[in-house]
Amino acid sequence: MSLFFTFKAPAPQKASVYALEWHNTLPLLAVSVGDFDMMGSVLIYGEEGEQVGSIDCQSTDDRFTSSETMAWHPSVKFLVTGWKDGGILTWDGSLTTPPEEVATTHKDKQVKVLRWNENGDKLLSADSQGGWTVWKYERKQLRQLQRSKDNFDGSLTHCTFRCRPGVRKDSADEQGDHRLLLEDEEEPGLDQAAAPAAAGFTVANFNAHCTWFVGGTSGTVWGVDDEGCTGLVFNVDNLPLVSLLYYPAKSGVIAMNQVCSVCFYCMRDDSKWFQQARFRVSLGKGAATASAQMSWIGNGLAATIAHENMVRVWMVDANDTYVLRPQTSVESIAAQDNILALAYNSQKRTLALGTRAGFILFYQYTGRETSVSEDDWSLYSEVRLDSMVSIVQWGPGDALLASAQTDTVTFLHGTSLHRCLHKNSVVVQLTADTLLYEDLGAKTALTTRISSVRVQGMALAGTHFAVWNAKQVELFRVRVYEIASVGVHNIENTGVALHADKLMVMRTEKGVSSIEMYNLQLQKLSNLSIKAHEGEACFMHVKGDFLVAATSKNYINCWWVGGRAGDERAHGYPKMLWEDEAAEKSRQIAAVAVNVNGSQVAVLSQASTAGNPAAQCSEVLLCNIEHDGIATYDFEQHGRLPTTILWDENEPRLLCCETKRTKRADDEDANAIEVFTLFCSTKGVKLQERFILKKGMTALVGISVPHFYIYQRETLPVVDPKETKTTNILQRVMRDFDGIDCSDIRVKEALLEFSYNLACGDMDAAYRSVKLIKDENVWTNMAQMCVKTGRLDVAEVCLGNMQDAKGAKFLREARKEPETDAHVAMLALQLGLVDDAERLYKKCQRHDLLNVMYQACGQWDKAIKLAEDEDRIHLRTIHYEYARHLESIGDFTAAVAQYEKAKCHGYEVPRMLYNAGRLEQLEQYANSSADRELLLWWAQFCESNTKYEQALHFYKEAGDTVSLVRLHCLLQDLDGAAHIVEKAKDAPAAAYHLAKQYEEAGKIRETLHFFRLAKAYKNAIRIARSNGMDAEVMQLSLQADPATIVESATWFEEHNSLDKAVVLYKKGGELGKAIDLCVRGELFDTLQKLADDLDKDTDPDVFIQCAEFFLSKNQNEKAVNMYVQAKSYTEALQVCLDRDVKLTEDMAEDMTLPKTDNEDDEALRLHLLRKIAKVAKLQESWHLACKKYTQAGDRVKGMKVLLKSGDTDKIIFFTNHSRQKDIYILAAHYLQTSDWHTNPTITKHIITFYTKARAYESLSGFYDAIAQVYIDEFRDYDKALVALQDSAKYMDKSKAQNRDLKMQQLEAKINFVEQFVEGRNMVKSDPTRMVEICKELLDVEDIEGAVRVGDVYALLVEFYTGRQEFENAYNYIERMRDGHIILSYYLEPALVQAVYKAMGIEYKEQEHAAQSHQAAPQQNLTDDVEDEIEEDIGPDD
């Protein structure tokens, strides 16, 4: 709780206060005052009301005027004041230098606006005639930078600054007034032509960088930038403005005029303004609209006051409002009091309201991050002054406020609530001058007033307590029924403490600090000195018999102060907390407290950084005096800052801390005080308990196991059988002691050990400490601790001692779940720790169990949200359960909505409303619903109540054709029912019901028709048979199921309608019966059609029966197919042979059995393949025979039959894929029979096949044949020689029996060819030798086998002819003729004629002689190859 001290700063007599202005960082307040004679001045006060300066307009000139606007520089001591006569005066903070007047452009025009920019380097001033000036600040001097050339319309009265640093624009001309029009398409009617755009500027650029927004009596808001450029933003109904605000979150400007019309304009991404909101504040009767004002009271919260008894709060982001109605302690005044002034402190989030009755009310914001209602504000203090409060304004920091009354200014200093606890005594400061003393043991409460001491601290020991400030100490003594002041002593000090009968005063003189010991009569007893290098003493605390002091250099000293005066001694050694130099400079001690046995000292600290004030640290330091160690506990993990530290009165390990928030959290208790208790020992610092001080609880006074002592403003009744008493001290039992009688010291000690061990997580030690205590609360606390430690084994013991059979049962059942956290969560639920259970279920991601928990706790919104996000499989179930819950509490409307979301409203909603007797609501719901299930329910309900017309209507709406037809039939309206069925098209059940009705009525045609629509063919056939309607029976049977079809076929067979019976037997799947009936009835055409439709699934006997039938009719090919389908392959092949049926490839494939691992089956398959191949060969189907021989594994036979086909390409393909020696040889032999000498590809294949088969003898012979071709066809003996050499090479590799003989023959042949080639090459080089070689060759017998004689003669003839030796040439020609050698084959006819002509002999054409000796080599080769192939092929079988 905060208390406020008030100091008045009286203004000059007969003067009124016009305005207040605090400096941002310094405790300086500027007050503008004046009298009725227009004599005004500005007074500067310090924080306690002392005047430190003034600005008097008369001191500079003989003018009589006053100031209503002032502006402190943001960071330095420099004040600017604006006066009614247009003057601007500055004060630089000096008491000797008079105020300085600045040359101004506002002469004779009242200065209405003064506003610094954020950096403090520029100032904007504006006057009552719309003129404005931008000033440059340099070294406490103002220099005019820009001024307006054309004034704005009306007086400028308000200005707001854009709260972000502007970006300076480049300008080509800085001497004029550049005026730009800000585009605003949503505000028609403005004089846009009045502001022509300057060259080099853009509207978007100006909008993005304008610094100030100004407005006034014309209702127009203008933007002004650092360069003096201006632009129109918007207008508010052309009425004077009363407030102008800037909203940084949305880059928006808010303006309110004198009739409380509000406009909110924001800037888009393209830097153009648009209207975000526009409305009018609704005020009550008697509101002073012209005096209304709007101010920020938080992030996105704007408050409006208009001299009413309420504050209207506008939530800008949500565009919603609520009303805050302040209440004072004097109810009679509160109802009629009006709020005149408002101020908001953003650091403490505190709202101060000044009222007409002289109250200042302080409200603390306690809501979540986003305010939603007046409940977010809590009244925590009020101060009543002696007159009306017209102005309130917060000063720098968070505890300084100034208020203006008619003729005076009041300073309010906030201070924390001072309180002390010593054993069973409590002292609390109620107000600035009132103290409360309570004896908790005797249940007595006394109050007293402080004489004149402004309380800065308090100390209590036994029946004495003292209050003190820096200069005075007042001592009090408590008697039975009164508190007596011992006296006020003027002692300069930095701290005071009490211990028994000793008063301890901490003083510093000439930089040296000491603690002086006095008795209660203020007689000095002794002195405790602090060394100079340790710094000045600044904090002191006493607990038990121990005293601790902290110094400015972060040293702590501890003494034992028990016993008589002079017996004091040091306890431990002086300790420096931060030995690191950087930490020492940035950290400062803020508070110290020693525990009851002097073993530990708790320390709070502050940290400061360059340019920033010191800020509270989130750590608590624990200095162990005995072990010389330091431990810490950081409250940042909880989002809190420690503000107060208190040790337990008796337990040295237990420390209590009050904390406040560090940052905004979305938590309703974020702004409340939260108390933490910590166990501090050698095992570390452990959190024991934490709780929030709820509304009404003001502050923690102290702690003494097992109670917390809390001060609250409202008194509490005290249970006393003798008299009625009240107290302001609430005794809150610690969690681990709740419900337990601690009057026995052993029980209390055991519970303390229990609590300590629980905090340390030592469950075994905790159990041992309380195992003999038979109190359910102890075990409950231990079980709750098990939730944190996860010790389920201990939890089961605790539940047993708690006799919680139900909880133990649920815990055992939960153990079936695989996640340990789920087990612990169930334990937490049984102990009522719902938040812990929720956390654990989320941790193990058991959203299903968490949802069950939400439902059990009635948190249906959470359950539904969780199901939508994480557990959609149970979403409809949750809606259903929620609907059942709503139904149970009678909320039928909400239950209907949930049943609809559960998708079961068709049944559940009628049931619910019917059971509740809400038939009218049910009928309305049915009429408005399109749900089929619901409509059906209501239709059935109407039908059951004989409301047939309504029933028909709802059956039709539900689309229930069956019920419509049934009800029409019930009403004997068969035609109407028939119309419905015909229109429905697909309504078999309705058609069946109607058909039965027609059957009962004896209408056969209609019966058959609707049975057919219902697809009830059996019933229709039954009716048709009984009425002799054979055609209808046949037609219906074809649409029926197989069993009905066969039944009808039997019926037709019995009635000798064999053709119809056959068709139906076939349709019904009884092919055997159909074929048998065809045979018996000699229905050959029908049987042939049946055979065409047979498939592989047909019984083989049926196929055989058909085959025999087709054989009897000479349908041999169909008979073969039937045998094949019956898998009688031998019979099929025999028919092919006997009746000359061509075996097709499809037949062969159908007769080919699949491969199998069974040896017998595989042997059968191969035998069948050979039979198929043999039949194919006999039918000269060479390719098919080859394929089947190949499939049978006999590729050689396959090759042999393929050779007979003469298909060279397939032979080559088959050879390459077979890769067998015999097949290579057969293929090569075959290819030699083809025209290989004209096809190089075939030649290549022959060589390749012989090579792969390693048939070198055959390959040698082939090369010999190639040589012969070169000689016979091309007379190319060079190539022939190469071929003969290759032939010899491969003959040498062969293993033939006559290899040597053949090699001799080849070598001789090669020799002759080489001679001939050599001789032919010597025609020019050595003709004589050539002639000799030729003659030698002609003399060789059987030379024709190697070199053709004709070629030798031709060489000689050509040689002699070329040499003009015609006679020799003629002789050789004649020898050729004698040898029957055809001349034209070897010699050109022209050459022969030339020789004869040269000889003078007439040439006669030679008769065509046989050329057997010339063609013999090639013909003999071909014959030999064919003989060899025939020999290799041999017989197939």
Side-chain angles (χ1 to χ4, degrees), residues 1185-1213:
C1186 174
K1187 180 178 180 180
K1188 293 305 164 183
Y1189 274 130
T1190 302
Q1191 289 177 350
D1194 195 344
R1195 286 183 172 271
V1196 175
K1197 285 188 177 181
M1199 184 63 179
K1200 289 179 179 179
V1201 296
L1202 186 60
L1203 291 175
K1204 293 180 180 181
S1205 69
D1207 191 337
T1208 303
D1209 292 337
K1210 288 189 177 181
I1211 291 171
I1212 294 172
F1213 178 82

Side-chain angles (χ1 to χ4, degrees), residues 375-393:
D375 295 334
D376 295 332
W377 298 91
S378 174
L379 176 67
Y380 74 92
S381 186
E382 67 177 48
V383 176
R384 187 172 186 181
L385 305 179
D386 52 7
S387 62
M388 177 182 68
V389 179
S390 58
I391 304 173
V392 290
Q393 192 176 97

Side-chain angles (χ1 to χ4, degrees), residues 962-973:
V962 177
S963 296
L964 276 173
V965 170
R966 178 180 54 76
L967 195 51
H968 273 289
C969 292
L970 179 65
L971 299 174
Q972 301 299 315
D973 184 12

Side-chain angles (χ1 to χ4, degrees), residues 180-184 197 201-209 232 267 270-273:
L180 293 177
L181 175 67
L182 279 70
E183 292 183 4
D184 183 8
F201 289 90
T202 64
V203 171
N205 188 32
F206 173 79
N207 291 349
H209 299 93
L232 177 65
M267 190 177 293
D270 59 357
S271 297
K272 294 183 180 180
W273 296 99

Side-chain angles (χ1 to χ4, degrees), residues 446-499:
L446 301 172
T447 59
T448 186
R449 285 188 173 273
I450 305 170
S451 58
S452 61
V453 177
R454 176 186 169 190
V455 179
Q456 293 181 354
M458 183 183 296
L460 171 65
T463 59
H464 290 81
F465 64 89
V467 293
W468 55 272
N469 59 23
K471 297 180 180 180
Q472 294 178 314
V473 178
E474 184 172 6
L475 190 62
F476 295 89
R477 180 178 180 182
V478 181
R479 296 177 179 174
V480 179
Y481 297 109
E482 65 176 351
I483 300 175
S485 176
V486 176
V488 178
H489 306 281
N490 296 322
I491 304 176
E492 292 187 0
N493 64 84
T494 56
V496 173
L498 280 174
H499 176 262

